Amino acid sequence: MARASNLPVDPARIAEVIDGLAKLTEPGRPYTRRAFTALFPAGRDFLDGRFRAAGLETRVDAAGNLIARRPGKKPGLGTIMLGSHSDTVPDGGRYDGIAGVAAALEVAQALADKGIDLDHDLEIVDFLAEEVSIFGVSCIGSRGMAGVLPADWLSRERDGLTLEQGIRDVGGDPARIAGEARKDIAAFLELHIEQGPVLETERLDIGVVTAIAGITRIEIIVDGRADHAGTTPMGSRADALAAAARLVSGIEALAKSLSEGPGHFTATVGEFAIEPNAANVVPSRARLLIDARAEERNAMDLFAASVDQLADGIARETGTTIAPPRRISENMPTPGDPLLLGVLDAACETAGASHRRMASGAGHDTAFMAKVTRSAMIFVPCLGGRSHAPEEFAETDDIALGAAVLFNAVIQLDETLSQESV
Ligand SMILES: [Zn+2]
């Protein structure tokens, strides 16, 4: 494995940014720096200082994203953008999002160190509120930059603060978001910790992300009949929970079988409730919510059709009524841009990084950037796959190797995309 000594980037500078942000956490609550809370601007100020110290021009765009810019030699060629997010979940980690911002900044610094001037403008972005925010929604900055932030979200309110005011408080201008959707970005790349165990288990340096899985949430309501638990014979019941339990097992089996297919697939019954939930009453109703994630759309369609069939069969066998499973939310998978995936594979080779292609089961800002430009992302390993917890950990050298991959990819893209636009 290639290690820090021969990389074009400086691991110490990456660690300094990550450590600096880690110190900005709610007292006694590592690591909590949520968007739209009092601490968030402190993180932004810290980053703004580091960006400026690296000789970059900074600004906050209409959607509240902090952007640092390194002008290219050929104005009008477009922007190569790198970045991720600095907000955390409550009791989150030091690396989720932050590693990507630190690595992006390091790419800009390494270019400056080596006196490399790109043709394209290079921008480093800290997206606003990637995590589910106090307003109950996520990826606010990247949705805004892509021009797909739903206008009615701006009036969402929490503790007297509207999202609209929250964006203004970080320096954004909600009225200008729609008009400022970016059309000048030539390519977007994001480095992120994997948040899963695959790279660590396989002892690989980099995951080149083939797609961000689409997420479908399916609600199922099972109606049985409430009866006395002591007097109703076992053969005369319509037990909603017993039927729902069979559904959960069936869903797990379906998901396991689909996960053995070519693309990433997971399905989880993450919400489950029964009524009346009393010791001496046969359950009359159960509600399940499935979170299903698929890299490939046809796997999701197959899953949904199989769940319909499963529910039908179980209702018949158990004497319960199961309404047709209802898709309550759905978004499509986002494939990585093929040109960028090829450039990233080659950038791994140049950096001496072992790599594989893999899907992302988690959502990321890249999914929204893909609506306006060529986009792709890379993963670096994290300890035990842990994330969204204080135990989240990634080795500085692993992040630095990822930054070196980004560095190589940016140089290659600057050349390739320049030729393309001639
Ligand atoms: Zn993240």
Side-chain angles (χ1 to χ4, degrees):
M1 265 191 269
R3 276 304 173 234
S5 57
N6 49 13
L7 293 180
V9 296
D10 180 355
R13 285 195 297 225
I14 293 173
E16 197 268 341
V17 171
I18 292 171
D19 293 345
L21 283 171
K23 289 194 184 91
L24 301 170
T25 179
E26 287 183 12
R29 199 177 182 196
Y31 296 93
T32 307
R33 191 180 50 260
R34 303 185 74 189
F36 311 112
T37 66
L39 256 186
F40 185 74
R44 277 284 172 89
D45 286 349
F46 173 84
L47 280 177
D48 188 70
R50 288 298 178 278
F51 289 160
R52 286 170 186 270
L56 305 170
E57 307 157 10
T58 63
R59 68 189 173 96
V60 173
D61 73 2
N65 301 302
L66 174 62
I67 298 173
R69 183 165 169 275
R70 186 170 188 265
K73 286 182 293 186
K74 296 186 180 165
L77 205 52
T79 302
I80 296 175
M81 183 178 273
L82 307 174
S84 194
H85 61 96
S86 70
D87 66 319
T88 72
V89 297
D91 308 303
R94 289 167 283 174
Y95 301 90
D96 174 357
I98 294 146
V101 177
L105 167 58
E106 179 53 28
V107 170
Q109 289 183 293
L111 288 168
D113 287 350
K114 291 170 176 43
I116 299 172
D117 289 320
L118 301 175
D119 287 344
H120 293 79
D121 293 342
L122 178 72
E123 287 188 346
I124 312 306
V125 59
D126 170 28
F127 288 113
L128 179 63
E130 190 271 347
E131 304 289 1
V132 174
S133 65
I134 59 170
F135 299 105
V137 288
S138 65
C139 296
I140 289 166
S142 51
R143 288 179 205 263
M145 190 181 282
V148 296
L149 183 75
D152 61 342
W153 283 12
L154 292 173
S155 53
R156 281 176 173 250
E157 194 182 322
R158 170 76 184 267
D159 301 334
L161 179 71
T162 59
L163 174 57
E164 184 171 15
Q165 186 59 43
I167 292 173
R168 232 180 259 128
D169 289 348
V170 297
D173 185 353
R176 285 177 23 238
I177 293 176
E180 286 194 8
R182 296 285 296 265
K183 298 184 183 74
D184 63 304
I185 303 174
F188 173 78
L189 294 173
E190 178 173 11
L191 173 150
H192 205 281
I193 59 166
E194 182 198 337
Q195 302 179 286
V198 174
L199 294 174
E200 184 186 59
T201 306
E202 298 184 3
R203 296 177 185 278
L204 292 172
D205 297 317
I206 300 289
V208 175
V209 177
T210 49
I212 296 168
I215 307 175
T216 298
R217 299 227 164 92
I218 303 174
E219 183 189 63
I220 308 181
I221 309 257
V222 183
D223 279 307
R225 196 181 62 239
D227 278 311
H228 194 295
T231 58
T232 314
M234 294 309 293
S236 314
R237 300 175 173 212
D239 185 332
L241 174 54
R246 288 171 61 171
L247 259 177
V248 174
S249 301
I251 289 161
E252 187 194 27
L254 274 174
K256 275 187 175 155
S257 121
L258 283 167
S259 73
E260 283 155 16
H264 180 79
F265 190 91
T266 61
T268 309
V269 177
E271 287 185 20
F272 192 100
I274 60 164
E275 295 172 20
N277 204 21
N280 58 354
V281 185
V282 175
S284 59
R285 172 172 271 215
R287 175 188 176 271
L288 294 66
L289 188 63
I290 308 171
D291 171 300
R293 303 188 181 216
E295 179 178 6
E296 285 169 21
R297 186 61 199 164
N298 54 9
M300 186 66 83
D301 288 338
L302 181 58
F303 174 73
S306 305
V307 168
D308 287 357
Q309 266 181 11
L310 181 70
D312 231 34
I314 291 173
R316 248 182 288 114
E317 290 162 20
T318 57
T320 57
T321 306
I322 306 180
R326 202 165 63 89
R327 298 193 196 191
I328 60 171
S329 73
E330 179 148 61
N331 53 53
M332 298 293 135
T334 305
D337 177 81
L339 178 120
L340 297 193
L341 296 185
V343 167
L344 287 168
D345 281 339
C348 288
E349 295 292 328
T350 307
S354 56
H355 57 104
R356 62 164 280 173
R357 294 218 171 166
M358 60 190 294
S360 172
H364 293 287
D365 290 309
T366 296
F368 294 97
M369 294 310 292
K371 296 181 186 297
V372 287
T373 185
R374 295 179 179 281
S375 298
M377 63 191 303
I378 57 170
F379 285 154
V380 298
C382 60
L383 186 66
R386 298 290 308 280
S387 185
H388 286 190
E391 293 78 19
E392 183 182 276
F393 181 77
E395 295 283 354
T396 299
D397 281 354
D398 289 341
I399 301 168
L401 189 54
V405 170
L406 285 186
F407 176 89
N408 294 338
V410 164
I411 288 174
Q412 182 59 55
L413 277 174
D414 185 51
E415 201 181 307
T416 306
L417 297 173
S418 296
Q419 285 162 0
E420 209 177 53
S421 65
V422 168

